[in-house]
Amino acid sequence: MARSYLMAILMISIFFIIVIKLIEIQLFDIYNYKNLAEIQTTNKEEILPERGIIFDRKNRILATNQIVYTLGARYIDISDPLTTFKQLGSHLNMSHSEIASIFENKRKYYVIKEDIPLSLASEIMKENLHGIRFEKKINRIYPYEETGGQVLGYVGWDNRGVSGIEKLYDESLCGEKGWEEIQVDRKGRRVSYSGKNRKEKKDGGNVFLTIDIDYQTILEEELQKAIKENNAKHGMGILVNPNTGEILGMASWPNFNPNQASSFPIENRKNRVISDSFEPGSVYKIVAAAAALETGVFTTNSLIYCEGGKWDFLGKTIHDTKKNEWLSFEDIIIHSSNIGIGKIAQQEGDDALYQMSKNLGFGEQTGLFPTMEISGNLNPVSEWGKISSSQVAMGHYVTTTLLQLAMAYSSVANNGLLMQPTLVRSAYSPNRELIESGSIEVVRRAMSESTASTLRSILEKAVNEGTGQKAYIKGYRVAGKTGTAQKVIDGKYSDQYYISSFIGFFPANKPVLVCGITLDSPAYGKHWGGTCAAPAVKNIFTRIINTTDFNNLYEWVQPVEDVLAENDDPNYALPYQFSASLGTGNTSSSKNSEPQLPASQSQSITQQETTHEMEIQVLVPNVKNMSVKNAQHILSKLSLNYEIKGTDNLVIDQIPLPGESLSRGSVCLLITGKKRNETP
């Protein structure tokens, strides 16, 4: 009996303890337990920012973002697998059995499909498929693919910049992450947005480059053409505005597509214009020439004895390609005499040559890409031997980058000022604050105006009469210098492998463009800079001259004769021939007036018919034998739409034919294929 009472008292006590505890929880500790429950069922989820956009100088998008989704699931979470897989398959172009075979382990999470576009993902989401998860991802997209790839660089798996502009401006481009609190189930899966705490993301700031994507395309296409025609190992090229230091194009080949960066060798991703140094050869002769003119030791008419083409000097034999006896100072540059420039350097002295080299920026970084650019090598005078000045004068015993050479020639082109090269016009922070403005900056005066003027005249003659004749453009004033340097292999100068260059500017009297092309190891026999590099510069200038935009920008660039820029090669199909906006050479027209063109030069200039509707008509350009990308650029500029038939990269035919009149917004059909062999 006593035991029964004790058991009853114990049970009643336990009951009252439970009741009291429940009252305490529900009435007094309700907020504490509520907060604890919320902590256990909520997580912080990152909100990824969109990376900033990179534009060219005309606000065309070079790098942007694309929202994609990864679709995945656990088999055990799918309420009706057969129906779900059939519905998914209809959207993903997959059979239901193919999707089912993915789930080898029914409790494991599997990815069904990656990189699903936003539009398709939205359609699938409307199906409300139970158990299917969507993970948002932002991919970096480069619309022009390989064009400009080495300048732009690329991003890694974490969407952070790895090279190029993407790396240099990564901090501002990548933006700032946000976060939000979400409700999750017991397995940590998202249920809904909690609606309480949130930090907004800040998308990356935009970057605007000095690059012109049209010029970049021309540069890359002509560089690649020169490399293939001359069987070179690789090559590089650059386009600069010498008056501002703005880089309009920069390329090396082989190149790569930053959309699939990992598919290309690391060598292809290098920007050789800033990362490769080489002995420049005769393109360096302008340094000794400038130093000699500055010191007053020589005039353009000074005569130098060139030893009949062979000069034995302090145990070193220096050769010329021609057996000249006496040459004037300017003829030594025009005809690129090694002996002549060596003797000039010996007379002007080591210090003068070294100082001019420093004045023109050799031996130091330009500062364009501080972490990626090399400085080249220019030894101090204290380390020079008795013959060093003669060797340096002809471009030996010194190494340089193509960027440094282009900026040195820009100094000659702009009356003697060494400009700071710029690649960025403006850059913004995630807070939309201007963090960089590509203002024009003069590093220093490298030479006097009179010296620069004299050199421009000499270099124009080098194109008209000397080693650079294959850069000559009929009717236009082009200046420049060739260079052919033996490569150093295993510590010795090779007789088979050369670095071949041409640096030119245009027009010679008032330059607006400097272009440099350097080829590594072109086939022997084609290895002269005047043979393999000069024609590439000519083609680049010719194509740019014949663009409407170029003449609109520089109205004084008129032909000396009433002709369009032409290429002497009868098999060369002149790109951009539709944009014949070069004027007639009439210098009296004002800047705001339209150039008056002969009828033969006016094809495909936008014309406006005087009708009630003022319908704007354009003449269809000739885009045959162009790359698809180049043809697209041209048609877009004329507000013409296009359709592409075929999968090749070369346009072999077009409908309508060139010269037909169409309304803006009309469609042109581009037919692609392999290049056809020409018949006589």
Side-chain angles (χ1 to χ4, degrees):
M1 190 72 176
R3 182 178 294 178
S4 298
Y5 281 123
L6 288 173
M7 288 298 295
I9 292 170
L10 181 61
M11 294 298 293
I12 292 170
S13 299
I14 293 173
F15 173 77
F16 278 107
I17 290 171
I18 293 173
V19 170
I20 292 170
K21 189 64 178 176
L22 288 173
I23 292 172
E24 181 184 355
I25 291 172
Q26 295 183 11
L27 295 181
F28 300 105
D29 289 339
I30 183 171
Y31 294 107
N32 290 334
Y33 282 97
K34 181 181 179 182
N35 291 337
L36 182 60
E38 288 180 350
I39 291 171
Q40 292 175 339
T41 59
T42 59
N43 278 340
K44 273 188 178 180
E45 186 172 89
E46 284 187 342
I47 305 174
L48 297 178
E50 289 198 28
R51 196 168 175 85
I53 299 173
I54 302 175
F55 297 87
D56 86 335
R57 67 184 300 108
K58 295 178 181 174
N59 298 332
R60 290 169 292 192
I61 295 175
L62 305 182
T64 186
N65 308 294
Q66 181 184 51
I67 297 175
V68 296
Y69 284 84
T70 297
L71 188 152
R74 294 196 314 163
Y75 190 91
I76 60 173
D77 295 331
I78 303 172
S79 57
D80 186 353
L82 181 60
T83 302
T84 299
F85 295 161
K86 285 182 177 180
Q87 288 177 292
L88 277 179
S90 65
H91 290 286
L92 301 177
N93 196 26
M94 298 170 68
S95 67
H96 70 277
S97 59
E98 185 180 357
I99 297 174
S101 66
I102 295 173
F103 297 94
E104 297 177 359
N105 184 329
K106 293 187 177 182
R107 292 185 174 275
K108 186 178 177 181
Y109 179 84
Y110 289 96
V111 171
I112 300 172
K113 188 80 171 179
E114 292 183 302
D115 294 335
I116 300 174
L118 176 60
S119 57
L120 178 57
S122 299
E123 291 298 317
I124 299 174
M125 289 177 187
K126 292 177 183 177
E127 303 280 2
N128 292 319
L129 302 175
H130 186 269
I132 302 298
R133 292 179 60 182
F134 293 84
E135 295 181 5
K136 180 179 176 182
K137 182 182 176 184
I138 301 176
N139 280 351
R140 194 64 163 166
I141 299 297
Y142 303 89
Y144 291 93
E145 298 181 333
E146 70 276 1
T147 304
Q150 291 149 338
V151 174
L152 296 171
Y154 64 101
V155 298
W157 62 269
D158 56 355
N159 212 33
R160 300 300 298 262
V162 175
S163 68
I165 292 294
E166 293 280 27
K167 180 178 180 180
L168 193 62
Y169 287 86
D170 185 59
E171 186 175 347
S172 57
L173 283 168
C174 70
E176 298 177 9
K177 294 179 181 178
W179 55 266
E180 65 180 4
E181 283 189 352
I182 60 169
Q183 292 181 337
V184 296
D185 62 15
R186 61 188 180 86
K187 293 181 179 179
R189 295 172 297 190
R190 178 172 181 153
V191 177
S192 66
Y193 168 54
S194 70
K196 285 195 172 183
N197 297 316
R198 178 185 178 93
K199 178 186 176 184
E200 295 295 332
K201 66 180 174 69
K202 290 183 179 179
D203 291 335
N206 297 333
V207 175
F208 296 81
L209 302 183
T210 62
I211 294 290
D212 184 311
I213 196 62
D214 291 334
Y215 292 8
Q216 180 74 28
T217 301
I218 291 171
L219 178 66
E220 292 193 23
E221 289 180 351
E222 293 301 333
L223 174 63
Q224 184 175 349
K225 176 183 172 185
I227 291 169
K228 290 184 176 180
E229 287 183 349
N230 296 285
N231 299 316
K233 181 180 178 182
H234 54 71
M236 47 191 150
I238 189 170
L239 276 165
V240 180
N241 181 333
N243 305 301
T244 64
E246 292 176 300
I247 295 173
L248 306 174
M250 180 186 289
S252 53
W253 196 90
N255 54 8
F256 82 109
N257 184 341
N259 291 308
Q260 296 100 32
S262 61
S263 302
F264 292 82
I266 293 177
E267 284 292 303
N268 290 34
R269 306 175 214 170
K270 288 174 58 178
N271 183 350
R272 295 182 182 275
V273 177
I274 62 170
S275 68
D276 283 13
S277 65
F278 53 93
E279 287 195 355
S282 293
V283 289
Y284 203 78
K285 287 176 180 174
I286 65 160
V287 182
L293 291 171
E294 287 285 275
T295 58
V297 175
F298 293 90
T299 68
T300 56
N301 297 319
S302 297
L303 293 176
I304 295 94
Y305 183 60
C306 293
E307 306 286 344
K310 182 180 179 181
W311 181 34
D312 293 319
F313 177 61
L314 296 176
K316 179 80 173 179
T317 301
I318 298 174
H319 296 274
D320 276 344
T321 56
K322 294 183 178 180
K323 298 179 179 181
N324 296 305
E325 298 290 334
W326 291 92
L327 289 177
S328 68
F329 179 93
E330 69 173 12
D331 281 338
I332 283 169
I333 305 302
I334 292 169
H335 300 290
S336 201
S337 167
N338 292 330
I339 295 171
I341 202 69
K343 288 192 171 185
I344 289 171
Q346 285 293 318
Q347 290 189 54
E348 73 192 31
D350 294 353
D351 290 333
L353 179 57
Y354 176 81
Q355 189 57 53
M356 182 54 68
S357 296
K358 296 297 288 184
N359 286 356
L360 288 168
F362 295 107
E364 60 186 29
Q365 290 186 354
T366 68
L368 186 68
F369 279 99
T371 60
M372 309 172 212
E373 180 184 357
I374 64 173
S375 61
N377 184 60
L378 175 67
N379 290 329
V381 173
S382 60
E383 297 179 15
W384 290 18
K386 292 182 179 180
I387 65 169
S388 292
S389 61
S390 63
Q391 296 298 301
V392 171
M394 65 181 72
H396 293 303
Y397 296 1
V398 59
T399 63
T400 176
T401 65
L402 183 56
L403 174 60
Q404 290 171 330
L405 284 170
M407 299 317 298
Y409 274 77
S410 293
S411 298
V412 176
N414 68 26
N415 280 329
L417 300 176
L418 181 66
M419 305 301 296
Q420 173 62 45
T422 60
L423 195 53
V424 174
R425 303 189 84 183
S426 58
Y428 294 84
S429 72
N431 293 321
R432 304 303 180 258
E433 297 170 343
L434 182 66
I435 59 174
E436 183 169 333
S437 178
S439 56
I440 299 172
E441 182 181 343
V442 177
V443 178
R444 58 181 163 266
R445 174 162 287 283
M447 65 187 74
S448 66
E449 290 188 17
S450 61
T451 294
S453 177
T454 300
L455 285 177
R456 285 198 302 275
S457 177
I458 293 173
L459 293 176
E460 184 176 7
K461 290 180 181 178
V463 170
N464 294 338
E465 309 166 17
T467 58
Q469 291 183 49
K470 289 192 176 182
Y472 173 76
I473 301 174
K474 184 178 180 180
Y476 291 85
R477 299 179 63 178
V478 180
K481 183 72 187 74
T482 57
T484 308
Q486 293 170 286
K487 288 188 69 173
V488 177
I489 298 177
D490 297 328
K492 297 179 180 179
Y493 285 108
S494 171
D495 292 329
Q496 294 293 320
Y497 299 103
Y498 294 80
I499 300 291
S500 307
S501 305
F502 183 83
I503 318 291
F505 50 83
F506 162 85
N509 58 317
K510 193 175 180 182
V512 296
L513 285 177
V514 169
C515 181
I517 292 291
T518 296
L519 304 184
D520 186 337
S521 304
Y524 187 79
K526 299 180 178 181
H527 64 284
W528 304 106
T531 301
C532 61
V537 172
K538 172 184 179 174
N539 293 343
I540 291 164
F541 282 159
T542 301
R543 291 179 65 174
I544 291 176
I545 290 168
N546 285 293
T547 60
T548 303
D549 286 351
F550 183 78
N551 188 67
N552 290 341
L553 189 60
Y554 304 112
E555 80 284 351
W556 69 84
V557 181
Q558 306 293 341
V560 177
E561 305 168 30
D562 188 13
V563 295
L564 282 175
E566 296 176 355
N567 191 299
D568 296 330
D569 182 356
N571 296 319
Y572 180 76
L574 177 64
Y576 286 143
Q577 59 189 12
F578 71 95
S579 300
S581 59
L582 295 173
T584 61
N586 181 3
T587 58
S588 63
S589 61
S590 67
K591 184 173 183 177
N592 295 324
S593 63
E594 291 294 329
Q596 301 298 312
L597 302 180
S600 63
Q601 293 186 21
S602 61
Q603 66 171 7
S604 82
I605 300 297
T606 302
Q607 300 178 13
Q608 187 170 332
E609 294 185 355
T610 308
T611 66
H612 293 295
E613 297 179 352
M614 298 295 286
E615 182 182 14
I616 297 177
Q617 297 282 311
V618 294
L619 297 183
V620 177
N622 184 358
V623 296
K624 292 180 184 178
N625 297 318
M626 292 186 187
S627 69
V628 170
K629 188 186 308 178
N630 208 4
Q632 289 171 325
H633 292 176
I634 294 168
L635 294 175
S636 296
K637 283 189 171 186
L638 294 173
S639 299
L640 292 174
N641 295 318
Y642 50 83
E643 292 182 3
I644 300 172
K645 182 178 180 181
T647 57
D648 292 291
N649 192 42
L650 183 73
V651 178
I652 61 171
D653 206 352
Q654 65 179 91
I655 302 172
L657 294 175
E660 293 189 27
S661 181
L662 288 180
S663 300
R664 284 186 172 182
S666 300
V667 177
C668 295
L669 177 64
L670 305 180
I671 301 168
T672 69
K674 304 294 183 185
K675 188 172 184 179
R676 298 170 179 170
N677 293 326
E678 296 184 1
T679 56

